[in-house]
Amino acid sequence: MKSDVEELMPRLLPVECGAAASQDLDFGATPRNPQEYLRQVQLEASLCPEVVVAQIDPKKLKKKQTVNASVAGCHAAPQGFSPSLRWQQQQVGIFSDVRQSITKNRNHWSSQTLDDNVQMPKVTDEEGWKRFCLGERIYQGTSSDLGDADQEPALDYGKIGFPPFLSIVSRLNQSTVLMLLEILISWFEEREFVPQLGRWLYALLACLEKPLLPEAHSSIRQLARRCAQLRSTLVNKNPNVMRLTNFCLSCRYFEQTDLADHQE
């Protein structure tokens, strides 16, 4: 008669069992052949109890274990800077349209020939990507504003950074988009906001595909906190207020509503 275990899990290897097969079995000795090894394993398993109860000292359970977790929200917008719900909905709608347009035309733009001066860094070259996106001036800290660069007759993208042209961002796969987003957000954590950075962050967010990976959620929340923190230090309304607010709205689009702006 088969055991319950054999009924549920039929044997894959033929192994002799019973008293006759086990009477000359020496557990202290090394098995002499595969058949003897399998009989030892089978006999040891049969001697194990079906149910094992752990012996726990109740005294050890009285001590409570606490974990300190910091779940910080976003800084509130300065007085009078909080966007209306209507404005937020408009910006989310514009952002959604941009994302749909990129998705629809990705194949077309990725097939376009890049100019000879566009030398995209290798995927793992973090410093090269910072120079590529922000330019040597920002990377080296010699200029924090585009300023006179706009007045130059011939733009030197090596100095002021390459804009996120569709022909460039359409060539980036999702892992590269996320990697570059993390690089620029980490750079932003320690520096001020600049227009070049804003353009790239917006373009990369528009290229993120849903459903988002956990790493993408984390990056979006990190970006929103940094933008809100920097916006809270502004005194006068200027273009950066709207730019930073727009990035906070990315939380609303990507279902991170606990960090989104709320109407006053």
Side-chain angles (χ1 to χ4, degrees):
M1 183 176 180
K2 293 183 178 181
S3 66
D4 293 339
V5 175
E6 289 177 331
E7 288 288 349
L8 296 174
M9 301 176 62
R11 288 180 291 168
L12 299 179
L13 297 174
V15 181
E16 296 180 10
C17 55
S22 304
Q23 61 183 358
D24 59 342
L25 199 60
D26 185 1
F27 279 100
T30 303
R32 293 168 293 183
N33 52 58
Q35 196 76 7
E36 198 168 276
Y37 169 76
L38 291 174
R39 286 205 303 271
Q40 280 190 3
V41 172
Q42 186 183 59
L43 200 58
E44 288 178 356
S46 66
L47 298 176
C48 292
E50 294 185 2
V51 178
V52 178
V53 180
Q55 300 298 323
I56 301 176
D57 186 358
K59 296 180 181 179
K60 295 182 179 180
L61 299 178
K62 292 183 178 181
K63 185 178 180 181
K64 295 182 179 180
Q65 296 182 351
T66 58
V67 177
N68 295 323
S70 176
V71 183
C74 282
H75 286 73
Q79 186 70 27
F81 290 3
S82 181
S84 67
L85 181 58
R86 179 180 176 82
W87 186 89
Q88 294 184 53
Q89 292 171 341
Q90 290 175 342
Q91 300 307 309
V92 170
I94 293 172
F95 182 64
S96 179
D97 291 342
V98 171
R99 285 173 54 84
Q100 292 178 19
S101 178
I102 291 176
T103 302
K104 181 179 179 180
N105 300 291
R106 180 181 295 276
N107 291 335
H108 167 74
W109 286 110
S110 62
S111 64
Q112 300 300 303
T113 303
L114 296 176
D115 292 339
D116 294 337
N117 64 329
V118 181
Q119 298 295 327
M120 296 176 65
K122 295 181 179 179
V123 175
T124 56
D125 186 4
E126 293 190 10
E127 302 306 312
W129 278 112
K130 294 174 186 176
R131 289 188 175 93
F132 182 84
C133 299
L134 305 174
E136 284 291 339
R137 293 179 178 179
I138 300 299
Y139 178 78
Q140 295 178 358
T142 56
S143 174
S144 60
D145 192 1
L146 203 55
D148 58 347
D150 284 332
Q151 308 301 322
E152 294 181 0
L155 294 179
D156 186 348
Y157 288 125
K159 292 182 179 179
I160 64 174
F162 285 89
F165 296 126
L166 288 174
S167 56
I168 293 178
V169 296
S170 295
R171 283 174 160 80
L172 307 178
N173 58 33
Q174 283 299 290
S175 60
T176 305
V177 168
L178 182 55
M179 178 273 298
L180 186 50
L181 193 60
E182 292 174 348
I183 289 175
L184 295 180
I185 292 175
S186 296
W187 187 91
F188 184 33
E189 285 285 341
E190 301 176 357
R191 294 167 180 83
E192 295 298 308
F193 181 85
V194 292
Q196 296 95 314
L197 176 67
R199 297 187 190 104
W200 270 99
L201 290 175
Y202 192 91
L204 293 171
L205 289 173
C207 289
L208 277 179
E209 296 177 358
K210 286 187 172 184
L212 298 180
L213 295 173
E215 294 86 352
H217 281 288
S218 176
S219 294
I220 290 171
R221 295 177 70 83
Q222 183 181 358
L223 174 60
R225 290 192 181 99
R226 172 55 179 157
C227 288
Q229 183 273 328
L230 188 57
R231 182 183 59 180
S232 68
T233 64
L234 300 178
V235 178
N236 299 318
K237 289 187 177 181
N238 58 59
N240 282 343
V241 173
M242 290 297 98
R243 291 167 181 159
L244 295 172
T245 298
N246 224 329
F247 287 117
C248 295
L249 289 179
S250 64
C251 288
R252 188 174 295 279
Y253 181 88
F254 290 113
E255 291 88 34
Q256 308 294 317
T257 54
D258 61 306
L259 298 183
D261 280 314
H262 297 283
Q263 190 173 5
E264 291 179 345

